[in-house]
Amino acid sequence: MTIPVVMIRFRGEPDAITDVQGFLGRHLLRVFAGDLGERARIAAYELVENAGRYSTAGSDIDLEVLDTGNGFSVKVSNDAVGARVAMLRRQIETAAQLETTEQYARALRRHIETKADNMMRIGFGLLRARHDAIVELSLAVDDRRVVVLAKGAHVATAVRRPPSTSRLRRPNDF
Amino acid sequence: MIEISIDDLKVDGCQIEATVKTMVAVRIKGSAEGSAAGDLEKLFSKVHEECVRLSAVRARIDLTELEFMSSSCFKSFVSWVVRIEQLPEDQRYHIVLLSSPTRHWQRRSLHALESMGGDIISVEPVIGA
């Protein structure tokens, strides 16, 4: 059974984003137990941060967090701006292909060494959500809104794990 | 400052070698969110300068009471590792991250740093933290 946990619309302005992220930190850790709460927090935090960077200043951002029964989903949508959507799509594709900690580590290094600051900030949060929150990432454009979705399964109780996420888990990680 | 003077001490029948190895220790508590990124970058930059100045062999960063770190703050660690790698080999020092096993995110995040940093960085879980 899917249960709504958070449904918020807020302005894509720094103060509002900070407030929402603070609320998410407190609320998601109460709703989801242990590791799941921390993962949901990371995913929601980074997707909101990312949306803030992509939104036209002052436009609305919608955030929805669901308890899916076997984990969580985080959906963030904001207004779609052409060139940024293309860039975001590339970043999502890159993050979605991330399968191992070693790949993640190489990506971190590459980002720092190339000093691609703007690209790095945009992509870094998504990479981290993918690796640290162990989520499947996807993107859709709907009615001129760009929608980023992160789905995280309950690791400890999952009977069958999706191959892509299971390869992210290493004995040392869990 | 601690001054030691043992050069003139002799121990009968023994050969004595004494060294002082400097370690810089930092503890970070709380929640490092996006607004902390700039300050954290400055902090690590300063710690790096001090480690080089003091010829430190180790910087120990206690994260056991750090409940959250955003990606922009996490990036500061990555930059720090790259900065150490750029030092001449004889000036490099080691970063030890003390982590809490009960903070699950630390296992994944810090393990990635460890993978990236090779010999420069290691993670030590603190049981009971």
Side-chain angles (χ1 to χ4, degrees):
Chain A
M1 192 171 78
T2 298
I3 303 168
V5 171
V6 176
M7 294 181 84
I8 313 178
R9 171 169 290 181
F10 56 98
R11 293 272 180 197
E13 294 169 345
D15 286 351
I17 289 170
T18 301
D19 286 348
V20 168
Q21 288 171 325
F23 163 74
L24 288 169
R26 295 185 298 275
H27 188 58
L28 296 181
L29 293 178
R30 280 199 294 264
V31 171
F32 298 102
D35 189 29
L36 202 61
E38 293 186 20
R39 288 169 52 206
R41 179 188 192 181
I42 290 171
Y45 184 100
E46 298 297 352
L47 261 58
V48 166
E49 186 81 7
N50 204 59
R53 293 210 171 93
Y54 273 98
S55 295
T56 306
S59 63
D60 288 336
I61 297 173
D62 291 309
L63 166 68
E64 178 188 88
V65 182
L66 303 176
D67 179 344
T68 59
N70 187 35
F72 62 86
S73 76
V74 179
K75 185 164 82 174
V76 177
S77 62
N78 57 284
D79 59 337
V81 181
R84 291 180 183 175
V85 173
M87 187 186 289
L88 181 57
R89 193 182 298 280
R90 283 198 300 276
Q91 295 288 349
I92 293 274
E93 285 170 0
T94 301
Q97 288 167 10
L98 190 70
E99 300 287 358
T100 65
T101 294
E102 285 68 27
Q103 288 174 350
Y104 178 52
R106 279 196 297 274
L108 298 181
R109 175 181 293 282
R110 199 163 52 243
H111 278 312
I112 295 295
E113 288 177 344
T114 56
K115 301 187 189 304
D117 283 346
N118 191 43
M119 285 291 288
M120 179 175 69
R121 280 199 296 269
I122 292 167
F124 201 79
L126 294 171
L127 288 172
R128 181 151 189 260
R130 168 71 178 145
H131 180 268
D132 290 1
I134 320 176
V135 292
E136 298 286 353
L137 288 166
S138 60
L139 177 143
V141 180
D142 179 23
D143 194 23
R144 287 193 289 180
R145 302 278 288 173
V146 60
V147 181
V148 178
L149 181 65
K151 288 183 179 176
H154 199 303
V155 173
T157 58
V159 178
R160 295 190 64 186
R161 296 166 181 168
S164 56
T165 52
S166 65
R167 274 180 280 161
L168 276 173
R169 301 183 197 107
R170 308 174 64 75
N172 198 25
D173 294 347
F174 301 104
Chain B
M1 181 179 288
I2 299 167
E3 194 173 309
I4 63 166
S5 178
I6 56 174
D7 288 349
D8 55 346
L9 292 178
K10 303 280 187 273
V11 178
D12 190 34
C14 300
Q15 294 175 327
I16 305 299
E17 289 178 12
T19 55
V20 175
K21 292 187 176 177
T22 309
M23 181 185 77
V24 175
V26 177
R27 177 180 292 167
I28 305 173
K29 300 178 182 181
S31 184
E33 302 196 9
S35 58
D39 290 340
L40 210 55
E41 183 74 36
K42 284 180 198 163
L43 170 73
F44 291 153
S45 180
K46 184 66 184 169
V47 171
H48 176 70
E49 283 174 21
E50 289 301 294
C51 285
V52 172
R53 186 178 69 83
L54 298 167
S55 301
V57 292
R58 180 180 299 185
R60 191 183 71 187
I61 312 298
D62 186 342
L63 303 175
T64 54
E65 294 180 68
L66 184 65
E67 64 177 66
F68 181 77
M69 181 178 277
S70 69
S71 60
S72 46
C73 291
F74 187 67
K75 186 180 63 126
S76 305
F77 275 106
V78 182
S79 300
W80 188 9
V81 171
V82 171
R83 223 174 282 149
I84 296 171
E85 287 175 342
Q86 290 167 347
L87 289 171
E89 203 158 328
D90 61 346
Q91 287 181 33
R92 288 182 198 166
Y93 57 94
H94 191 74
I95 299 175
V96 178
L97 301 176
L98 300 183
S99 71
S100 166
T102 61
R103 300 189 194 282
H104 306 279
W105 67 270
Q106 291 192 356
R107 276 180 287 176
R108 287 183 287 274
S109 294
L110 303 184
H111 176 54
L113 268 181
E114 206 174 22
S115 291
M116 195 213 91
D119 294 338
I120 286 174
I121 195 161
S122 61
V123 180
E124 291 182 7
V126 178
I127 306 300

